[in-house]
Amino acid sequence: MEYSKEVTDRYNSTKNVGSLDDNDKNVGTSVVGAPACGDVIKLQIKVDENGLISEAKFKTFGCGAAIASSSLITEWISGKSTEEALAIKNTEVAEYLSLPPVKAHCSVLAEEAVSKAIQNYRDKNRESN
Amino acid sequence: MKPVIYMDYQATTPCDKRVLEEMLPYFCEDFGNPHSSHAMGLQAKNAVEKARKQVADLIGADDPREIIFTSGATESNNLAIQGVSHFYKDKGKRIITSTIEHKCVLEAFSAMEREGFEVVKVPVLKNGIIDLQYLEKSVNDETILVSIMTVNNEIGTIQPVEDISRICRRKNVLFHTDAAQAVGKIKVDASLVDLMSISGHKIYGPKGIGALYVRLKPRVRLTPVFFGGGQERGMRSGTLATPLCVGFGKACEIARQEADAESSRLAELKSHFLKKIFDNLTKVHLNGDIERGIPGCVNLSFEGVEGEGMMMGMQDVCISSGSACTSESLEPSYVLHALSVREDLAHSSLRIGFGRFTTSEEVEYVSSKIIEVVKRLRDMSPIWQE
């Protein structure tokens, strides 16, 4: 697979790999994809008192494009409000990384991971209120 | 640019320089058409016939006339499957193959199925060896052809050709084998089969040439796939490519002389490679059968990491993967699927191929690189558990 420099760079020096404490009520977690399909993204966000994403971490099982998409989207959502993060579209990720069409689903998965992590954070906080 | 290490010898092999040297005069100097009856034609014909004998000798064919030159194993397989099915269609309609054949065999069978033939695909056991009992039960009075590969291209397992041959002989059914991955690596014996496909570029010969062995005694017949001047005993029309024939012949001659020594050397490289991988990584699975595999092919699944992701971490190494992300169809390897390999492990597979020009330093480098990349990717994998 021929990838852009953006994909290769992000694959080679991934940002924000890791985990956050899921027991923390300020942490939202999502796991999207399936091992049988060849890609799984686990994405976690921590939201501060101002409603901003103070930390974003990921772990990804998948191809170079999936890893690069995960890394990029965690960079993009860091410091943003949850609303701003939800507004990021998979097409922006695909465009920035110049993903070939067959790899578009990697960016879709990354967008889905963000929205489900935010949903999880919101659900958790709704319950505790 | 950093030099690249080639470890994909099942995909193709570099042309041996001795082969190229033998070919060169037949491009610009001795360029005659081997089917012309003048002096230059005869010169080319003699070169082609010498090559035919070299190919026949490698596979143990009694008569060089049993070798039909083609453009490669894909054409040979198509000629065998379509040709036999069409010629013997009044004798019966059942044709049998296995689930792990090369795409060109499976697709040729599908085409025959669309024409009304009844196709049976024999399953394989977990180690990639075909289910012989299933095969035996499948061969009925309606069966005209069994086509089972000698060595699988993804996992390197060697099929029990003698047993398959015995079943086919007993039931009086033609037996074709795709031996593209076998010749030059293990001893193949044409006396066990009725038709055999081989390829030039898998054995350090040029691309664009292959052959189909078609038994003369008792004579196997087939309907040609395309029509023309009636060359190659009417089975494969078209002017022969003299330089390619010559190169293919030379490659066969070298293989015959050097295959034994080469196989022992590759077997040592393979065992060293596997030891290093298994000493340094846990949860690695060998796909295929360690005892019944060719020495130059290793197929491994690394739990928790995806194949294309691994390949990206070692762009200076040419290997391949059964991962969906590396296939045109975006489906994981159907061969590993046929072996009942777990789907996530099919995505996690790498095929490493050693060959004539692989050095122990390269094996050392690549194994270290794989270990490093797998460890890094496992650290960032949500499904990896120590």
Side-chain angles (χ1 to χ4, degrees), chain B residues 125-157:
Chain B
L125 310 174
K126 276 191 154 156
N127 60 358
I129 305 294
I130 70 148
D131 184 339
L132 281 171
Q133 287 179 325
Y134 192 105
L135 171 68
E136 181 136 33
K137 273 187 276 171
S138 304
V139 182
N140 62 6
D141 294 343
E142 275 284 296
T143 309
I144 51 173
L145 176 69
V146 169
S147 177
I148 308 275
M149 69 204 322
T150 302
V151 169
N152 179 268
N153 49 307
E154 284 189 34
I155 52 174
T157 46

Side-chain angles (χ1 to χ4, degrees), chain B residues 147-204:
Chain B
S147 177
I148 308 275
M149 69 204 322
T150 302
V151 169
N152 179 268
N153 49 307
E154 284 189 34
I155 52 174
T157 46
I158 305 165
Q159 298 297 343
V161 172
E162 277 184 46
D163 297 330
I164 301 167
S165 172
R166 210 172 300 128
I167 292 169
C168 293
R169 292 271 153 87
R170 197 165 56 228
K171 309 237 183 176
N172 199 21
V173 168
L174 294 177
F175 175 28
H176 163 251
T177 190
D178 172 4
Q181 296 287 348
V183 282
K185 289 156 196 157
I186 58 167
K187 199 166 165 38
V188 298
D189 183 359
S191 74
L192 294 171
V193 303
D194 301 297
L195 303 112
M196 182 192 293
S197 302
I198 60 176
S199 166
H201 75 103
K202 307 283 191 195
I203 56 167
Y204 312 95

Side-chain angles (χ1 to χ4, degrees), chain A residues 105-126:
Chain A
H105 74 275
C106 296
S107 63
V108 173
L109 214 56
E111 182 192 307
E112 195 188 333
V114 169
S115 86
K116 289 204 168 150
I118 292 172
Q119 192 56 49
N120 177 252
Y121 161 77
R122 288 177 176 171
D123 289 348
K124 264 169 135 180
N125 285 277
R126 195 171 302 129

Side-chain angles (χ1 to χ4, degrees), chain A residues 1 3 7-8 10-14 17 35-38 40-42 58-65 67 102-103, chain B residues 304-306 308-315 324-325 330 332 343-344 347-348 373 376-383:
Chain A
M1 182 67 60
Y3 283 127
V7 172
T8 314
R10 274 192 175 63
Y11 173 90
N12 287 332
S13 47
T14 39
V17 172
C37 302
V40 178
I41 299 176
K42 180 183 173 197
F58 80 91
K59 283 199 163 192
T60 293
F61 163 78
C63 61
I67 291 170
V102 293
K103 294 290 179 181
Chain B
V305 292
E306 197 271 343
E308 199 227 285
M310 284 189 269
M311 283 168 66
M312 198 165 164
M314 36 188 162
Q315 293 194 0
C325 280
L330 287 180
E343 264 188 274
D344 60 311
H347 289 289
S348 301
V373 170
R376 174 180 174 240
L377 293 182
R378 279 179 173 176
D379 277 344
M380 65 165 85
S381 169
I383 62 168

Side-chain angles (χ1 to χ4, degrees), chain B residues 31-61:
Chain B
F31 60 85
N33 184 326
H35 315 292
S36 303
S37 50
H38 50 60
M40 288 201 66
L42 285 176
Q43 194 181 19
K45 182 173 191 251
N46 288 338
V48 165
E49 293 316 313
K50 182 184 167 196
R52 203 186 296 282
K53 173 87 168 62
Q54 287 166 319
V55 177
D57 286 346
L58 177 64
I59 63 169

Side-chain angles (χ1 to χ4, degrees), chain B residues 90-295:
Chain B
D90 295 332
K91 222 183 129 205
K93 279 287 161 93
R94 179 176 283 195
I95 52 179
I96 299 174
T97 187
S98 85
T99 50
I100 62 164
E101 297 297 310
H102 191 275
K103 274 279 178 215
C104 65
V105 168
L106 294 176
E107 289 301 317
F109 269 83
S110 297
M112 294 301 96
E113 195 164 34
R114 288 193 291 275
E115 284 185 22
F117 287 89
E118 183 206 355
V119 170
V120 176
K121 286 182 192 158
V122 179
V124 293
L125 310 174
K126 276 191 154 156
N127 60 358
I129 305 294
I130 70 148
D131 184 339
L132 281 171
Q133 287 179 325
Y134 192 105
L135 171 68
E136 181 136 33
K137 273 187 276 171
S138 304
V139 182
N140 62 6
D141 294 343
E142 275 284 296
T143 309
I144 51 173
L145 176 69
V146 169
S147 177
I148 308 275
M149 69 204 322
T150 302
V151 169
N152 179 268
N153 49 307
E154 284 189 34
I155 52 174
T157 46
I158 305 165
Q159 298 297 343
V161 172
E162 277 184 46
D163 297 330
I164 301 167
S165 172
R166 210 172 300 128
I167 292 169
C168 293
R169 292 271 153 87
R170 197 165 56 228
K171 309 237 183 176
N172 199 21
V173 168
L174 294 177
F175 175 28
H176 163 251
T177 190
D178 172 4
Q181 296 287 348
V183 282
K185 289 156 196 157
I186 58 167
K187 199 166 165 38
V188 298
D189 183 359
S191 74
L192 294 171
V193 303
D194 301 297
L195 303 112
M196 182 192 293
S197 302
I198 60 176
S199 166
H201 75 103
K202 307 283 191 195
I203 56 167
Y204 312 95
K207 292 172 181 59
I209 183 123
L212 180 65
Y213 161 84
V214 185
R215 170 175 294 283
L216 267 175
K217 281 181 197 160
R219 187 173 170 203
V220 174
R221 309 194 59 183
L222 44 84
T223 305
V225 172
F226 46 79
F227 307 95
Q231 290 91 344
E232 299 299 271
R233 296 201 288 127
M235 287 187 258
R236 204 277 189 177
S237 285
T239 298
L240 284 174
T242 313
L244 298 182
C245 295
V246 167
F248 186 24
K250 183 66 181 177
C252 287
E253 184 190 86
I254 296 171
R256 198 160 68 94
Q257 291 159 349
E258 299 181 3
D260 286 351
E262 201 164 282
S263 288
S264 339
R265 192 182 76 87
L266 294 180
E268 254 176 64
L269 288 182
K270 177 171 165 179
S271 79
H272 180 78
F273 174 84
L274 286 174
K275 184 175 182 329
K276 185 149 172 213
I277 295 285
F278 285 111
D279 281 352
N280 286 281
L281 293 171
T282 56
K283 299 196 177 178
V284 179
H285 307 267
L286 185 114
N287 300 314
D289 190 313
I290 186 85
E291 303 293 327
R292 298 163 81 176
I294 56 163

